Amino acid sequence: MSRVVLLLKLALLIVTPACSQQPAAPPPPPLSADAVQQLRDERLPPAVTQGDVALLDQAFRTLHPAVYRYNTPEAWARRVDSLRQWFAEPRTRGEAYLAFAHLTASLQCSHTYMSFWNQPMPVHRWLTDGEDKIPFEYALTPADRWVVTRSAAAAVLPGDTVVAVNGVPTERIVAQLLPYLRGDGEDNGKRRALLDFRHRKQYEAIDVFLPLLLPPRDGQYAVTLRRGGRE
C-alpha cells in the first residue's frame, strides 16, 4: 500500500448555507491563541464540577422520560457515583466536557447530548473556533476509513483515503469517538452518521471531539494517506 505521511496545518472549513434569506452577520473574530490556551489549561475545582454532576443527575432522574430505558436505577447510580469520584480532583474544561458527554451518551437517546451549540460563549468559541480542526472533509466508509471529499490542504486531495491520524488508525479513532456520541439504543447507525464529516452543519461532532481525544502536536496533525484509494 502506498502511503504518504503529511503534517497538516489546521483549519476549520465553514460552509455557508445557500438558502439563507438574509446576509449572515460576520462571524466574531476567533479567540486568540493565548485565550484558547488559557481556557484549555484552567482546571475547574471539584466544588464546581461535582455540583454540576448533582444537578445533571437530578435533572435526568426527574425530567428525562427514558433515563432508565437502557440503565437500571442501580447502574445509573453507579455511573453518577463514579463520575462524582473522578471529579474529586480538579479537571480541565476539555476533560469535564468529555466526562459529561460520556455520561449523557450512556442514556442512548439521540435527542440528549452535550450540545456545543448552547455553551457559554467562551466555551462555545473554544470548542468550535479553536485552530485545532482537520482541514478536510471526508466520507466514512464501512471499514471506518475516511475518504476525502473536500480539502483546504493542498497536499490532501479529494479521493484520497485517510488511514491514520497521528499514527492512530482511523478505525480506532472511530471506536474511541462512538461512546461520546448520541444515538438510540445500541445501534450505532446514528453515531456513525455523525462521524460522516461533510459539514451539513456549520460544525460537526468531529470538530469538537477529535481535538479533545486526539489533540494536534505543535499545531499539526500527522495524516497517513492512501493516494486516490490505490494500494
Side-chain angles (χ1 to χ4, degrees), residues 128-226:
T128 58
D129 291 1
E131 295 181 356
D132 53 6
K133 317 303 180 190
I134 54 174
F136 56 85
E137 298 176 15
Y138 64 81
L140 183 66
T141 74
D144 292 341
R145 301 297 195 186
W146 301 353
V147 178
V148 177
T149 58
R150 181 182 177 191
S151 177
V156 180
L157 304 177
D160 288 344
T161 299
V162 178
V163 298
V165 179
N166 286 356
V168 182
T170 53
E171 61 266 30
R172 190 185 307 170
I173 294 173
V174 170
Q176 291 173 345
L177 290 169
L178 287 176
Y180 297 93
L181 302 178
R182 58 194 173 103
D184 291 319
E186 296 181 358
D187 185 350
N188 281 328
K190 171 70 174 182
R191 300 176 185 93
R192 290 179 56 81
L194 291 172
L195 294 179
D196 191 70
F197 183 39
R198 309 192 210 192
H199 268 116
R200 290 171 289 264
K201 297 182 179 179
Q202 189 176 18
Y203 305 109
E204 301 272 354
I206 200 154
D207 282 322
V208 173
F209 286 104
L210 182 66
L212 293 177
L213 290 169
L214 189 68
R217 300 167 180 169
D218 299 323
Q220 296 176 325
Y221 280 120
V223 178
T224 306
L225 295 177
R226 181 186 298 156

Side-chain angles (χ1 to χ4, degrees), residues 26-37:
L31 293 174
S32 69
D34 288 343
V36 170
Q37 196 61 46

Side-chain angles (χ1 to χ4, degrees), residues 20-21 40 63-64 67 135 150 187 196 202 226:
S20 176
Q21 297 294 323
R40 286 178 175 162
L63 302 174
H64 201 289
V67 64
R150 181 182 177 191
D187 185 350
D196 191 70
Q202 189 176 18
R226 181 186 298 156

Side-chain angles (χ1 to χ4, degrees), residues 2-212:
S2 174
R3 291 186 175 184
V4 181
V5 178
L6 304 171
L7 290 177
L8 299 181
K9 285 291 185 181
L10 308 176
L12 176 63
L13 300 176
I14 301 296
V15 177
T16 302
C19 60
S20 176
Q21 297 294 323
Q22 298 178 349
L31 293 174
S32 69
D34 288 343
V36 170
Q37 196 61 46
Q38 182 178 358
L39 285 169
R40 286 178 175 162
D41 291 343
E42 183 181 4
R43 292 188 173 270
L44 305 174
V48 171
T49 51
Q50 292 202 14
D52 287 343
V53 173
L55 179 61
L56 188 63
D57 176 40
Q58 181 183 22
F60 280 161
R61 287 188 293 103
T62 304
L63 302 174
H64 201 289
V67 64
Y68 298 134
R69 183 173 184 180
Y70 299 103
N71 289 273
T72 65
E74 294 77 16
W76 177 256
R78 285 194 298 269
R79 290 182 186 276
V80 171
D81 186 60
S82 177
L83 187 59
R84 187 180 294 111
Q85 292 181 39
W86 187 77
F87 275 125
E89 300 292 333
R91 303 293 180 180
T92 66
R93 282 185 172 84
E95 291 171 333
Y97 187 90
L98 285 174
F100 284 119
H102 193 271
L103 177 69
T104 303
S106 74
L107 291 177
Q108 300 184 45
C109 171
S110 63
H111 298 287
T112 307
Y113 66 108
M114 276 289 290
S115 172
F116 36 83
W117 298 100
N118 57 1
Q119 298 295 321
M121 185 52 66
V123 176
H124 172 78
R125 297 283 302 283
W126 158 60
L127 285 171
T128 58
D129 291 1
E131 295 181 356
D132 53 6
K133 317 303 180 190
I134 54 174
F136 56 85
E137 298 176 15
Y138 64 81
L140 183 66
T141 74
D144 292 341
R145 301 297 195 186
W146 301 353
V147 178
V148 177
T149 58
R150 181 182 177 191
S151 177
V156 180
L157 304 177
D160 288 344
T161 299
V162 178
V163 298
V165 179
N166 286 356
V168 182
T170 53
E171 61 266 30
R172 190 185 307 170
I173 294 173
V174 170
Q176 291 173 345
L177 290 169
L178 287 176
Y180 297 93
L181 302 178
R182 58 194 173 103
D184 291 319
E186 296 181 358
D187 185 350
N188 281 328
K190 171 70 174 182
R191 300 176 185 93
R192 290 179 56 81
L194 291 172
L195 294 179
D196 191 70
F197 183 39
R198 309 192 210 192
H199 268 116
R200 290 171 289 264
K201 297 182 179 179
Q202 189 176 18
Y203 305 109
E204 301 272 354
I206 200 154
D207 282 322
V208 173
F209 286 104
L210 182 66
L212 293 177

